[in-house]
Amino acid sequence: MSDNTLSYDVIIVGSGAAGLGLALSLPDHLEIAILSKSSMSEGSTNYAQGGISAVLDDEDSLDSHQVDTIKAGVGLCHNDIVDLVVSHGKASIDWLMANNVQFSTSKDTHSKNKLHLTKEGGHSFRRVVHANDSTGRAIQTALNDLVVSKPNIKIFEHHNVIDLVTSDDKLSGQSAIAGCYVLDTKKDVIFSMKAPCVTLATGGASKVYLYTSNPDVSTGDGIAMAWRAGCRVANMEFMQFHPTCLFHPEAKSFLISEAVRGEGGLLILPDGTRFMPNFDKRAELAPRDIVARAIDHEMKRLGIPSVFLDISHRTAKFTKSHFPMLHERCLSFGFDMTKDPLPVVPAAHYTCGGVITDKNGSTDIAGLYAIGEVAFTGLHGANRMASNSILECLVFAKQASIDIPKFLKNSARSPNIKAWDNSKVIDSDEAIVVSHNWAELRQFMWDYVGIVRTTKRLQRAKHRITLLKREIEDYYGNFHVTSDFLELRNLVTAAELIIDSALLRKESRGLHYTLDFPDLDDKNFKKDTVLKP
Ligand code: FAD
Ligand code: SIN
């Protein structure tokens, strides 16, 4: 046992838009640690393509953005939170530009130098600000550069947070955050870090599925850690599947932005027929749950491995200038999108549920905040509208940055936390258990808890989770932990929360569709699914 505990005012777990947005908005006198389990840039933020929604067009209105968000969320959005987020759209874009993020401007002579706005599913107007088709990279790079230059911020790359440490506040009886245990994955040592305030900005849990647009870090760690520490979570049944990921054995579910459909891309069957108008009058630009389900339906009906996304009717100049990164990546897989329809399939993309927070990002544990995709704020309801996610990251980073200094002023320094005890565990000779269970979990989640569900399939998945949990607990008690093992442990927890929430919702709404209850049941289920540890 060793004690080399580090101490900070604020620990931020995660270095995507949410984590970096918070770090850069907190006052400079605070000592901040940012932990990232891979390199700083490796998170969903870096891969975001389409953009960020904000009302900037003269014809558009905040009301319209709110109505569209609420419509996509099928009755479950919290109106006060929608109002908060939507009304901070312009301010968030201004903040990014002030922090050196460069967005695409219009090529049209009438509106030259104005930001170019693209369109995506569910939006009634062009309101998506973007940096060509690599918006996330533009944000991540600019914010990385600023964060590394700040003397009050210490960055820990390749540091995987294992668990949160809490203590009971004797006066209030409420649980309070004290810090966390961290695995330095390069040196393979575990140490503790303490702080009166910890913020989870760990992203989503889409790696729980076999096919996902997300990078490897999206393993639901923040949701699982908060759950183990005693926080409530909500709406985990609403896992979003993006309709169009490239179907190619080496493409690893590479995303083809919804903006391609926003700029005229059509979904077609192998014989060239369009099918989306048969499912929704908004056709290719219906919200994602509808488009993904329609594709799944057509693939199953015809027994085909993919459908196709065709933008070849636009000029090559247009496509190359709007989608330079997509054009190049698709070429590397042998597809020229200026000429060929792209084979596409749905893949897991976004976690609408998460750790319950208030409007400041504060959770059930005093001093513990959750912002970005890890959080459940009430914005997305049963289905997130495209490009509302990075906006949510930035708005809640700002909200938390205002609340955290107030919280710190009124809170005592965090108590000492116990050093990590490694004395009773040995090196594992059973690493195969981890890789086998990882593959099994992701396969049965895809097969049984995917776009179309049934109670029987959910129960089957639940049964397998129970077995996996037993093996994981056994492993955790006996062996040195590795990053792969920690991620598996968190994925199993996230999967169980998804299945339990899905079993509770005996209706179909938004992203949760079950053949046993195919209709919307507003009378009994127009409410969030809240799980308590
Ligand atoms: P992330 O950016 O995912 O960052 C998570 C961070 O947490 C990482 O640094 C990771 O290392 C760290 N972390 C996780 N667990 C641990 C741990 N245990 N210990 C230490 N660190 C940990 N949304 C939009 O609004 N517009 C778009 O155009 C858009 N396009 C997208 C395209 C793709 C391909 C993908 C995958 C997503 C897209 N999204 C888009 C969704 C959006 O990108 C994400 O929801 C958002 O970026 C999440 O940001 P975040 O800061 O919450 O998490
Ligand atoms: C995309 O570009 O299609 C992704 C947008 C999003 O997930 O919000």
Side-chain angles (χ1 to χ4, degrees):
M1 226 188 277
S2 65
D3 189 6
N4 49 358
T5 305
L6 300 176
S7 180
Y8 289 89
D9 295 314
V10 183
I11 296 171
I12 300 174
V13 190
S15 55
L20 298 189
L22 172 62
L24 290 167
S25 304
L26 282 167
D28 286 346
H29 69 267
L30 295 176
E31 291 296 323
I32 300 168
I34 299 178
L35 296 129
S36 186
K37 70 176 168 180
S38 180
S39 63
M40 269 250 279
S41 293
E42 196 54 14
S44 289
T45 299
N46 196 42
Y47 298 94
Q49 294 182 8
I52 308 169
S53 50
V55 174
L56 298 178
D57 186 303
D58 295 342
E59 306 275 294
D60 195 3
S61 68
L62 295 177
D63 267 0
S64 171
H65 190 181
Q66 287 194 27
V67 168
D68 290 346
T69 301
I70 289 167
K71 228 193 239 175
V74 204
L76 294 191
C77 298
H78 297 196
N79 291 352
D80 55 334
I81 297 296
V82 177
D83 184 23
L84 172 77
V85 174
V86 163
S87 60
H88 284 80
K90 182 174 181 314
S92 301
I93 300 296
D94 288 345
W95 184 84
L96 287 172
M97 291 200 298
N99 285 305
N100 309 330
V101 180
Q102 296 205 339
F103 292 114
S104 302
T105 49
S106 180
K107 293 173 180 88
D108 176 353
T109 37
H110 299 301
S111 39
K112 229 179 169 110
N113 300 329
K114 269 193 170 176
L115 293 180
H116 179 260
L117 302 173
T118 191
K119 207 170 173 204
E120 288 183 286
H123 291 275
S124 299
F125 288 92
R126 285 189 170 263
R127 65 165 75 99
V128 180
V129 179
H130 61 106
N132 285 329
D133 51 357
S134 303
T135 311
R137 177 146 309 170
I139 296 172
Q140 186 79 49
T141 312
L143 300 189
N144 280 0
D145 288 350
L146 286 176
V147 152
V148 295
S149 69
K150 301 265 282 186
N152 64 319
I153 299 177
K154 170 97 175 117
I155 294 155
F156 295 83
E157 291 185 297
H158 305 286
H159 281 66
N160 190 336
V161 175
I162 302 172
D163 256 323
L164 301 169
V165 185
T166 57
S167 65
D168 288 330
D169 185 323
K170 300 254 164 9
L171 284 178
S172 67
Q174 196 195 0
S175 190
I177 197 74
C180 56
Y181 292 120
V182 185
L183 169 66
D184 175 339
T185 55
K186 291 274 178 200
K187 293 195 185 135
D188 197 21
V189 290
I190 296 174
F191 63 96
S192 43
M193 229 184 220
K194 63 176 187 165
C197 173
V198 175
T199 300
L200 295 169
T202 46
S206 290
K207 281 295 280 188
V208 82
Y209 289 102
L210 185 58
Y211 302 111
T212 172
S213 65
N214 281 208
D216 289 346
V217 294
S218 304
T219 50
D221 299 7
I223 296 170
M225 287 193 278
W227 175 255
R228 285 194 291 272
C231 292
R232 289 166 306 146
V233 302
N235 285 7
M236 287 297 291
E237 67 274 37
F238 298 120
M239 295 297 290
Q240 182 174 77
F241 290 76
H242 195 291
T244 57
C245 293
L246 192 67
F247 178 66
H248 184 281
E250 269 133 53
K252 242 191 142 194
S253 305
F254 174 65
L255 189 86
I256 308 294
S257 177
E258 196 153 307
V260 174
R261 280 175 279 138
E263 298 297 343
L266 301 175
L267 285 165
I268 55 173
L269 297 173
D271 68 0
T273 338
R274 255 181 101 190
F275 57 91
M276 273 317 297
N278 306 336
F279 290 86
D280 193 284
K281 65 176 187 318
R282 291 161 290 183
E284 280 80 2
L285 288 177
R288 277 184 194 161
D289 54 332
I290 295 168
V291 183
R293 219 159 31 242
I295 295 177
D296 185 69
H297 175 88
E298 291 301 292
M299 282 168 55
K300 285 187 177 134
R301 183 176 72 83
L302 298 168
I304 48 177
S306 77
V307 295
F308 294 86
L309 177 60
D310 188 12
I311 194 163
S312 61
H313 49 282
R314 306 243 28 183
T315 62
K317 186 170 168 235
F318 174 89
T319 301
K320 284 188 205 169
S321 72
H322 277 77
F323 307 111
M325 183 272 292
L326 286 176
H327 177 250
E328 210 172 288
R329 277 301 292 279
C330 288
L331 273 184
S332 75
F333 294 114
F335 304 108
D336 181 350
M337 66 191 282
T338 67
K339 297 193 192 110
D340 312 319
L342 302 171
V344 290
V345 287
H349 182 64
Y350 185 82
T351 308
C352 292
V355 183
I356 295 181
T357 73
D358 66 11
K359 68 175 185 8
N360 298 317
S362 180
T363 70
D364 291 340
I365 294 176
L368 179 66
Y369 291 71
I371 55 171
E373 194 171 334
V374 64
F376 167 84
T377 63
L379 174 66
H380 308 302
N383 177 34
R384 173 182 70 104
M385 191 164 68
S387 289
N388 268 351
S389 171
I390 294 182
L391 177 60
E392 185 190 39
C393 290
L394 298 170
V395 172
F396 279 87
K398 186 76 194 162
Q399 291 290 108
S401 77
I402 297 167
D403 199 60
I404 286 171
K406 291 187 212 155
F407 170 82
L408 290 175
K409 216 167 161 193
N410 299 324
S411 72
R413 296 292 308 164
S414 62
N416 281 330
I417 60 181
K418 272 206 281 184
W420 178 262
D421 182 1
N422 235 351
S423 60
K424 295 189 191 70
V425 293
I426 56 168
D427 281 337
S428 165
D429 56 359
E430 286 286 301
I432 185 68
V433 172
V434 176
S435 54
H436 174 87
N437 287 349
W438 177 287
E440 186 190 339
L441 172 76
R442 297 182 66 214
Q443 179 74 57
F444 75 66
M445 285 300 288
W446 183 260
D447 291 341
Y448 297 154
V449 197
I451 296 173
V452 176
R453 300 162 178 176
T454 67
T455 303
K456 205 164 173 188
R457 287 182 204 156
L458 292 173
Q459 284 164 343
R460 267 198 198 120
K462 173 77 183 174
H463 178 65
R464 278 163 175 79
I465 287 282
T466 310
L467 301 177
L468 286 184
K469 264 174 67 182
R470 220 175 287 149
E471 284 185 12
I472 284 167
E473 270 154 35
D474 187 44
Y475 193 104
Y476 192 64
N478 292 308
F479 299 119
H480 285 295
V481 293
T482 60
S483 248
D484 284 350
F485 170 76
L486 292 171
E487 290 186 339
L488 172 67
R489 177 176 175 240
N490 292 329
L491 281 173
V492 168
T493 302
E496 187 172 36
L497 293 169
I498 295 168
I499 296 164
D500 287 349
S501 307
L503 280 166
L504 286 171
R505 187 168 289 282
K506 297 188 191 317
E507 64 155 356
S508 290
R509 180 186 296 271
L511 297 160
H512 173 69
Y513 184 79
T514 163
L515 294 173
D516 293 309
F517 305 98
D519 300 320
L520 197 70
D521 177 357
D522 268 348
K523 190 160 164 262
N524 295 303
F525 289 101
K526 197 174 174 192
K527 57 185 181 194
D528 297 323
T529 307
V530 176
L531 300 181
K532 294 184 186 141

